[in-house]
Amino acid sequence: MCGCVHSTQDQALHLEGEPNPPAAPTSTLAPKNMPKSISISKQLASIKALRKGSDLEKAIATAALVFRNSSDPDGKLGKATAKNLLQTQFKNFTEGQETKARYKDLLSELDEHTENKLDFEDFMVLLLSISIMSDLLQNIWSVKITQ
C-alpha cells in the first residue's frame, strides 16, 4: 500500500495515440529514489479526447488521475493514503470541517471501511460528500456569475 504505483487495470487503458502507457507517476508518499512524477496538467494535456473537453470533464478526469496516481496495484487507496489525499489535495474543502459531526462520521466510515481500501467510486462519493458540507461550497455559491 505504498500509493506510488497505478493500478494494473489502468495500465491497459493507455492514452489515445500512444503505443504504450506512460510510466506511473509517483505520489507525495513515494521514496526519493523513485522517478520524477508527471504533473496532472501534463497528463491531462496528453489525453486527446480532453483537448476540447468541458471544464466538468477535465475536473472529473483530474480526480481520476489523482486517484490512479495514488492507488495501489489493485487500483485501490488505503485509508492512510486516502486521508493524506484529503489533507494535501482537498484541504480547502476539508479546512474547518474537523469539528462538524458529519465530517467526523465520514472519517469514521473511512476508518471502518470493511476492506480498509477505497475503490474509485468510494473515493468520489467521499469527495462529493465532503464538498457538499464544506464551507468552501458556500463561498463558491456566492461567486458572482454575471456582470
Side-chain angles (χ1 to χ4, degrees):
M1 169 170 68
C2 77
C4 61
V5 181
H6 69 282
S7 76
T8 53
Q9 69 187 21
D10 286 326
Q11 290 174 350
L13 300 171
H14 61 275
L15 303 176
E16 214 173 302
E18 289 187 22
N20 296 311
T26 60
S27 76
T28 56
L29 302 174
K32 290 185 179 187
N33 61 349
M34 296 295 290
K36 186 177 179 184
S37 65
I38 299 169
S39 72
I40 295 290
S41 60
K42 285 186 179 182
Q43 290 177 57
L44 280 174
S46 70
I47 301 171
K48 189 176 181 179
L50 289 177
R51 290 193 184 134
K52 293 184 180 178
S54 70
D55 291 341
L56 185 56
E57 290 169 325
K58 289 176 184 176
I60 297 299
T62 298
L65 287 170
V66 167
F67 178 87
R68 186 199 70 184
N69 292 348
S70 299
S71 64
D72 64 18
D74 294 328
K76 301 215 175 179
L77 289 180
K79 290 187 304 188
T81 304
K83 286 182 177 182
N84 182 28
L85 283 175
L86 290 176
Q87 293 171 348
T88 60
Q89 298 288 317
F90 215 58
K91 64 184 173 190
N92 290 319
F93 280 95
T94 60
E95 195 171 77
Q97 305 307 306
E98 300 85 0
T99 59
K100 292 184 178 180
R102 181 64 185 132
Y103 183 75
K104 289 178 181 179
D105 289 345
L106 286 171
L107 291 186
S108 289
E109 289 173 24
L110 178 60
D111 285 335
E112 295 168 6
H113 200 273
T114 54
E115 295 178 17
N116 290 326
K117 292 189 177 187
L118 299 173
D119 60 18
F120 182 65
E121 181 180 345
D122 295 331
F123 179 68
M124 292 301 290
V125 168
L126 178 64
L127 293 182
L128 288 172
S129 297
I130 291 171
S131 299
I132 290 168
M133 63 178 224
S134 73
D135 296 331
L136 179 57
L137 184 61
Q138 297 310 309
N139 292 338
I140 293 167
W141 291 138
S142 67
V143 170
K144 188 176 180 179
I145 58 173
T146 59
Q147 292 193 40

